[in-house]
């Protein structure tokens, strides 16, 4: 992800927390250095092994304020994690400040037959968790999100791919969904 580097200064004082494994972050920092791309002061690296460490533990060492409304972009990750790690992360995100929003991608069960997924698996990627759209919506609601809205394939095509001359098409094995935490926290019982 290059958002923190592309948007530095363009989006004001937005702080970007990049969450990934320590190994992936080290590789990324080496690549940024080799390309002479400076890490902006608004970018904070948060190392986390999702399957053995909670997001709360990972963020505890950062300046992140969990009571603030937050926008979470969780793209291209869920298929590599076990279900419990996904559920734990969703619950933590749903517990952030009111109006927190999440956009995530997930792979559907038919992804196993996708040429892209087969290619990735031949190169060592392990696709662990696949969900139907209904299952993902249910996971989000059970985690505590007040709203969830998938981006339908037809909607994605009309918005981003219709009329393209380069042949790029909607990826059918991966889906995108948006969710939001309630505007107000429920009163404690």
């Amino acid at each position: 992800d290059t958002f923190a580097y592309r948007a530095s200064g363009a989006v004001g004082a937005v702080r970007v927390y990049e969450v990934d494994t320590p190994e992936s972050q080290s590789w990324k920092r080496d690549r940024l250095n080799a390309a002479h791309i400076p890490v902006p002061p608004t970018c904070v690296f948060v190392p986390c092994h999702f399957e053995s460490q909670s997001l709360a533990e990972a963020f505890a060492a950062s300046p992140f304020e969990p009571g603030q409304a937050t926008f979470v972009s969780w793209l291209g990750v869920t298929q590599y994690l076990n279900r419990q790690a996904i559920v734990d992360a969703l619950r933590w995100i749903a517990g952030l400040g009111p109006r927190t929003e999440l956009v995530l991608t997930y792979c559907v069960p038919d992804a196993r037959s996708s040429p892209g997924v087969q290619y990735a698996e031949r190169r060592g990627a392990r696709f662990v968790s696949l969900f139907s759209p209904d299952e993902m919506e249910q996971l989000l609601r059970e985690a505590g999100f007040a709203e969830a809205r998938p981006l339908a394939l037809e909607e994605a095509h009309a918005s981003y791919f219709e009329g393209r001359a380069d042949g790029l098409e909607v990826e059918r094995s991966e889906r995108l969904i948006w969710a939001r935490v309630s505007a107000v926290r429920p009163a404690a019982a």
Side-chain angles (χ1 to χ4, degrees):
D1 182 28
T2 59
F3 177 78
Y5 317 96
R6 291 179 288 113
S8 178
V11 290
V14 171
R15 187 170 300 231
V16 176
Y17 294 86
E18 289 200 17
V19 182
D20 209 335
T21 65
E23 299 81 13
S24 293
Q25 287 182 341
S26 177
W27 175 85
K28 182 174 188 174
R29 286 179 176 212
D30 288 346
R31 299 297 304 140
L32 290 167
N33 190 43
H36 305 290
I37 299 172
V39 176
T42 54
C43 179
V44 177
F45 288 95
V46 178
C48 182
H49 285 285
F50 285 96
E51 293 183 347
S52 62
Q53 178 183 26
S54 73
L55 284 174
E57 292 168 332
F59 273 97
S62 79
F64 181 73
E65 297 177 34
Q68 299 293 315
T70 303
F71 180 82
V72 178
S73 173
W74 205 21
L75 307 177
V77 178
T78 60
Q79 64 266 28
Y80 304 115
L81 302 177
N82 67 47
R83 183 182 183 95
Q84 191 58 53
I86 295 166
V87 168
D88 292 345
L90 291 175
R91 286 181 181 152
W92 184 80
I93 295 166
L96 297 175
R99 293 192 176 93
T100 288
E101 295 183 40
L102 164 70
V103 172
L104 70 80
T105 56
Y106 62 96
C107 287
V108 295
D110 290 347
R112 293 250 185 252
S113 61
S114 159
V117 169
Q118 291 175 357
Y119 175 84
E121 286 186 328
R122 282 194 305 273
R123 276 149 186 76
R126 59 181 191 109
F127 283 65
V128 177
S129 295
L130 307 173
F131 301 94
S132 73
D134 288 341
E135 288 173 315
M136 182 52 71
E137 281 191 63
Q138 182 177 346
L139 269 183
L140 289 164
R141 294 209 187 275
E142 288 174 357
F145 288 88
E147 300 175 69
R149 183 178 177 274
L151 179 66
L153 293 176
E154 301 77 24
E155 187 180 4
H157 175 77
S159 295
Y160 305 107
F161 297 93
E162 197 166 58
R164 292 184 69 115
D166 59 7
L168 192 62
E169 296 180 359
V170 172
E171 173 55 54
R172 304 190 80 73
S173 64
E174 190 172 33
R175 306 293 170 90
L176 186 130
I177 191 165
W178 166 89
R180 181 172 39 207
V181 174
S182 174
V184 294
R185 285 275 172 234

